[in-house]
Amino acid sequence: MTRSLQRLIRWLLVCTAMLGAVAAAQAIAPAPASRPTVARISLDDAIGPAAAEYFHDAATRAVADGSAAIVLQLDTPGGLSESMRRIIADMLASPLPVLVYVAPGGARAASAGTYILYAGQIAAMAPGTHLGAATPVALGGRTPMPLPTTGPATSGSAASPAPPGERTDAESNKVLNDAIAYIRSLAQLRGRNARWAEQAVRGAATLTADEAAQQRVIDFVAGDVHELLGKADGRVVRVGERELTLHLRGATVRDYAPNARSRFLAVVTNPTIAYLLLLAGIFGLLLEATHPGAILPGVVGGICLLVAFYALQWLPVNYAGLALMALGIGLLVAEALTPTVGALGVGGIISFVLGSIMLMHSGTPGYAVNIGVIAGIATAAALLIALVLWLVFTSRRSHLVSGDELLRDAQGELLAPLDAGAEGWALVLGERWRVRAATTLPTGARVRVLRREGLLLWVEPI
């Protein structure tokens, strides 16, 4: 073995020993603690089926990903009671603590949002936000409720009972009392102000962020999500049947966006989109029925109608409004098939507009068809009916340009001599016609048409 080879072997042994020492030191040294991950779910529109499905899906993914907690960032005008209860049920059943945060500045947790805020283990608001006005609205109309005698209850003011002369029906009272019991149970579960919660439902009371913190409606005010996590750190909350101490300071925030199904549901359950899909489906099928073989209108109309029906099953539909819309469309079709000088058309437009307004209950926040869309469609239908009527009346006053009525008594000139009972040619209304007369007539004689027999005109001299 040469000397150079010996030096190489010694150098390799030294390097191996050094690498082994480094690996041993790393194994002995304690691993740095990893920061917890917090899932952020944002609900920034009306609470509906799409929002409920999005929260359920995102919360399930957050649990599977090992998140330490869920931050539910809220900015909503309210929404459907059924969807709100689905979200709260998922919050209460979640193995992770849910921190409900009304943000950013200018956001609100109105109506259904107030219930969701009360359901969170931690409730917080950003500066410049507000909550409240949680009175339920019945599908058939306004829910009668005992209002304050001196104006609406705001900023924690107490609601007075209804005047003695005001009557409320039993069904509305059941809805109101059920809502009060529900929000009081959430307040008691989380140790929050149950008295103000009842005022929010009974008297539509509202609070700003600072007022909510002073009255123990929320836990604190936080400027952003990181301040929220810092203030929540170290607090003891109840998750199901166990108590849990939150360790969230410096946690990594991971946003959970809605999946494709939730995005699709959010689009089609928009009341205005569902309304337009319904109209597109109906008129597409009508166009296919009146023009057999077109195919495309029928295919598109069928798809739109089925998607509209899928959306309507999730929405608070008033079936009287749907029936009035169907009647209006039927009257418009009848006007097109059997013209009645506008009687059926005007009735159809009125029925259609009333049905469109009644289709979705406008008292539910975020769930009403855009009145501008209804007005635009009604105006277009009215203009179409007016155009048809104008064309009808104009055609009655216009001169005839074809047919037997135009030919009768029309004058012409013979192009060749015509024997009695024989056929010849004449120029009538600028056209060459075969003619026949009872008398003999010379070339250039002026004649008048008596009648038409197929392509032959009977004439007489003028």
Side-chain angles (χ1 to χ4, degrees):
M1 183 180 296
T2 63
R3 183 173 297 177
S4 60
L5 183 59
Q6 291 176 349
R7 285 199 301 269
L8 177 61
I9 292 175
R10 285 197 299 270
W11 182 81
L12 291 175
L13 291 175
V14 170
C15 290
T16 303
M18 293 176 62
L19 291 175
V22 171
Q26 290 179 345
I28 296 173
S34 60
R35 294 193 299 174
T37 300
V38 171
R40 176 163 57 184
I41 303 173
S42 299
L43 297 181
D44 53 6
D45 206 346
I47 302 298
E53 184 154 326
Y54 162 46
F55 179 80
H56 177 80
D57 174 74
T60 302
R61 285 187 287 150
V63 173
D65 292 343
S67 300
I70 295 173
V71 173
L72 177 55
Q73 187 163 311
L74 202 59
D75 179 12
T76 177
L80 304 180
S81 173
E82 182 179 352
S83 300
M84 172 200 74
R85 289 176 182 261
R86 285 179 57 194
I87 292 175
I88 292 176
D90 285 336
M91 292 171 63
L92 298 180
S94 174
L96 300 179
V98 179
L99 289 69
V100 184
Y101 181 42
V102 183
R108 56 180 169 168
S111 191
T114 302
Y115 294 80
I116 295 174
L117 185 66
Y118 262 82
Q121 277 86 358
I122 297 293
M125 300 173 68
T129 58
H130 66 277
L131 81 160
T135 304
V137 182
L139 182 59
R142 182 182 65 87
T143 300
M145 61 181 181
L147 292 173
T149 56
T150 59
T154 58
S155 301
S157 59
S160 303
E166 182 178 336
R167 297 181 59 187
T168 58
D169 60 276
E171 184 65 26
S172 298
N173 278 331
K174 286 171 60 179
V175 172
L176 184 63
N177 290 332
D178 177 69
I180 291 172
Y182 189 48
I183 199 168
R184 284 183 63 87
S185 67
L186 295 175
Q188 293 168 2
L189 177 66
R190 301 306 183 200
R192 301 201 172 97
N193 191 332
R195 182 179 179 184
W196 183 88
E198 181 175 347
Q199 293 173 11
V201 176
R202 188 182 298 278
T206 58
L207 289 175
T208 64
D210 291 332
E211 292 168 344
Q214 292 171 6
Q215 298 199 32
R216 294 187 303 106
V217 172
I218 62 173
D219 296 294
F220 49 79
V221 177
D224 54 31
V225 173
H226 296 291
E227 184 179 351
L228 165 73
L229 298 179
K231 289 186 174 182
D233 188 72
R235 290 179 178 255
V236 178
V237 297
R238 178 172 292 276
V239 180
E241 297 300 323
R242 61 192 177 94
E243 288 189 347
L244 179 68
T245 301
L246 299 179
H247 300 286
L248 303 177
R249 187 179 300 276
T252 302
V253 179
R254 178 181 178 184
D255 288 305
Y256 281 72
N259 58 20
R261 173 184 165 83
S262 297
R263 288 195 295 269
F264 171 76
L265 192 60
V267 171
V268 299
T269 55
N270 181 296
T272 301
I273 299 298
Y275 173 76
L276 293 176
L277 286 172
L278 181 64
L279 294 186
I282 292 173
F283 285 110
L285 294 181
L286 285 176
L287 188 60
E288 179 67 29
T290 54
H291 298 77
I295 300 177
L296 182 61
V299 172
V300 174
I303 293 173
C304 289
L305 195 62
L306 290 176
V307 174
F309 285 156
Y310 170 75
L312 291 177
Q313 72 170 337
W314 295 95
L315 298 173
V317 176
N318 187 318
Y319 290 99
L322 194 60
L324 279 171
M325 285 183 60
L327 175 62
I329 293 173
L331 291 176
L332 290 173
V333 172
E335 175 67 32
L337 299 178
T338 57
T340 59
V341 198
L344 291 178
V346 172
I349 292 173
I350 294 173
S351 176
F352 177 80
V353 171
L354 291 177
S356 299
I357 294 173
M358 295 170 56
L359 181 64
M360 303 288 179
H361 180 50
S362 59
T364 304
Y367 282 88
V369 179
N370 189 305
I371 196 68
V373 174
I374 298 175
I377 294 175
T379 301
L383 291 176
L384 181 61
I385 294 293
L387 177 62
V388 170
L389 292 177
W390 179 78
L391 292 175
V392 169
F393 286 118
T394 302
S395 65
R396 289 185 176 182
R397 295 193 301 268
S398 63
H399 298 289
L400 296 174
V401 295
S402 64
D404 289 349
E405 292 294 331
L406 179 66
L407 287 172
R408 188 178 296 116
D409 295 329
Q411 297 181 6
E413 181 181 346
L414 289 179
L415 300 176
L418 182 64
D419 296 330
E423 293 186 5
W425 292 93
L427 188 65
V428 181
L429 298 177
E431 299 174 338
R432 289 172 57 90
W433 284 87
R434 287 189 301 117
V435 295
R436 180 178 293 175
T439 59
T440 301
L441 299 171
T443 301
R446 298 291 296 174
V447 295
R448 181 173 58 246
V449 177
L450 297 176
R451 65 183 182 275
R452 181 180 67 85
E453 293 180 356
L455 298 178
L456 177 68
L457 299 180
W458 278 89
V459 298
E460 64 178 5
I462 299 177

